[in-house]
Structures are given as structure tokens and as C-alpha cells.
Amino acid sequence: MGETDVPADPQRVVVLDTVLLDASVALDVVPVGAALVEGTEGLPAYLGPDVAEVQSVGNIMEPSLESIGALEPDLILSAKSRHEDLYDELSGIAPTVFVEAPGGDWRGSVGIVGEALGQTDRARTVLEEYDERAGALRTEVEPQSLTAQVIRPRDGGAIRLYGPGTFTGDVLTDAGLTIPEQEWEDNGILEVSTEFSGELAADVVFVSGGEAEPELPAWVRESLDAGGSRIIEVDHASWIAGVGPLGAEVILEELAGHLAG
């Protein structure tokens, strides 16, 4: 959004989107405040006990400027695609740095967070460690030539598919799985109605669920099962919303367990 002067070692950081939260914690900087995913009442459990004292500043879609200001931050991190309209107000509270979007170039976002936090070298190391773990798993998965889908049931009967251009899809392909080709939207996502359940088929189908998430219709589950798909339930908080190095680590660990079993 231009230029801003950021403290060399920010201590009171407020984050307003998932990739910024995950990346900050991965870089050992626990924010004083964070916006929550809409429909949830706390921060994701996969982030561990270190985030127990982080204060809520509203939900991601409607962060509270009053709550943010009350925390007296010395740095605010957010995403342009989320809060571009709030930039002037946020930067009036504290130096504000935006990434472009929360789930697209998640690696690039980690780099920007690292730069803003004065943790450039640590951010590079975190991503290198991720690449090593993904590469090790890929040597085991690729010979199996497995296809995979990540699907998220939505209200009204729609089902959202996550392609290679999304955070989750990126981690799966890094680990050696192949996501069947689709006519993905620009954000790497595709929504289909349940009547097109055939488009969901794959060797392994990961179904996102959790707090405030609709369930996959029983007949769709039966159809996938009858077609030979292995259905695995995963947690939305880490697999979909957990954009960042720690969420990626959870996915890789769970993948290794599921595919070895």
C-alpha cells in the first residue's frame, strides 16, 4: 500500500487474517490481538497454548477498530483483499503492512511477515524446513500415483473444491498427490452442487469439517464410497483456514499418518 516505518523489533502486533497469525506464531512472535474466523469463538487449537492470551479484535470480516486501538499495537498485519478499505484507519492506529491476499501466495506472505517482524532469516528457514518435510513425504507418495480432492460442504447444498492454486492444494501437490483437473476459478477454488458429485471423485477425498461447518450429505458420501474413494475427515481450522507454515505442518503430519495406514 506504499511505504510505512515499522519498528525494528515490534512487540505488540495485531493480525487480522489467518496467514498472518500462523506466520507470526511460526516466527515466535505471538500477537497481542487477532481477528477470528467468522463463526468461531477462539483461535485455532493447532496453534498451541501460546495463543491462549491473544485478545480478540472481532472477526476477520468486521474487525473492531476500537478493540485494535485499545491494544496500543506497534504493528498491524492484514491482507489487502480483506481490509483495503480500512487501511487509512488502521495506519492511523499503528504502522500497517498488508499482504495481497490470505490464501494465494502463502509463501510470499510468510516472507513479508518475516520482513515486517524483523525475522527475514527465520522466515526463510521456516519455509526451507517445510520444503524438506514435503519433499521427504513426496518420495513415499509419488510412487503410489494417488489422486486427491479437498472438499468443503457449504450451506445450501454446494460443495467447494480446493485446487492446486490454493494453500491446501499447494501442500497436497508438494507432498506428491495429484488433484484432478477442473475449470478452477481465479482463486483456485470451484463450487459445484451436490448433483455433480462425480466431479469430487479421487483416490482420497479429504472432507473439511469443524465448528460451524455443514456436514457432507450422506448420499454424496455413499456415492464417493461406492466409487472407491477413501474419505478422510479433516479439521477446517488447520486444513483450510490454517494458511501458513504451522497449518502446512499439520497437513503434512496428518497426510503421512493417513497414507501410511
Side-chain angles (χ1 to χ4, degrees), residues 17 78-84 98-103:
D17 215 320
S78 188
K80 181 179 178 181
S81 62
R82 298 282 200 198
H83 302 127
E84 182 176 9
F98 280 178
V99 299
E100 186 68 32

Side-chain angles (χ1 to χ4, degrees), residues 40-55:
T40 64
E41 298 181 356
L43 296 180
Y46 83 88
L47 293 173
D50 289 345
V51 301
E53 302 302 319
V54 177
Q55 300 295 305

Side-chain angles (χ1 to χ4, degrees), residues 6 9 18 22 28 66 92 97 105 110 130 167 224 255:
V6 177
D9 184 23
T18 51
D22 186 299
D28 300 321
E66 182 179 1
V97 175
D105 179 16
V110 173
Y130 160 78
F167 162 70
L224 289 171
L255 268 179

Side-chain angles (χ1 to χ4, degrees), residues 15-141:
V15 298
L16 303 181
D17 215 320
T18 51
V19 66
L20 310 162
L21 173 62
D22 186 299
S24 295
V25 176
L27 299 177
D28 300 321
V29 177
V30 179
V32 295
L36 307 182
V37 173
E38 192 169 14
T40 64
E41 298 181 356
L43 296 180
Y46 83 88
L47 293 173
D50 289 345
V51 301
E53 302 302 319
V54 177
Q55 300 295 305
S56 168
V57 293
N59 69 61
I60 288 174
M61 303 308 296
E62 296 180 347
S64 166
L65 296 173
E66 182 179 1
S67 297
I68 295 169
L71 291 173
E72 300 182 346
D74 51 18
L75 175 65
I76 298 171
L77 298 172
S78 188
K80 181 179 178 181
S81 62
R82 298 282 200 198
H83 302 127
E84 182 176 9
D85 293 344
L86 295 178
Y87 183 80
D88 290 341
E89 293 167 282
L90 292 170
S91 59
I93 297 172
T96 299
V97 175
F98 280 178
V99 299
E100 186 68 32
D105 179 16
W106 69 275
R107 296 166 184 261
S109 294
V110 173
I112 291 173
V113 172
E115 185 177 359
L117 295 176
Q119 299 278 352
T120 302
D121 290 342
R122 174 61 181 153
R124 185 181 302 112
T125 298
V126 164
L127 291 174
E128 289 172 351
E129 290 171 347
Y130 160 78
D131 285 333
E132 289 177 3
R133 286 192 292 270
L137 183 56
R138 186 167 58 249
T139 61
E140 300 177 15
V141 171

Side-chain angles (χ1 to χ4, degrees), residues 235-259:
D235 183 19
H236 170 81
S238 53
W239 277 66
I240 304 296
V243 183
L246 298 180
E249 183 175 344
V250 171
I251 294 174
L252 291 178
E253 288 181 356
E254 294 186 0
L255 268 179
H258 289 309
L259 299 180

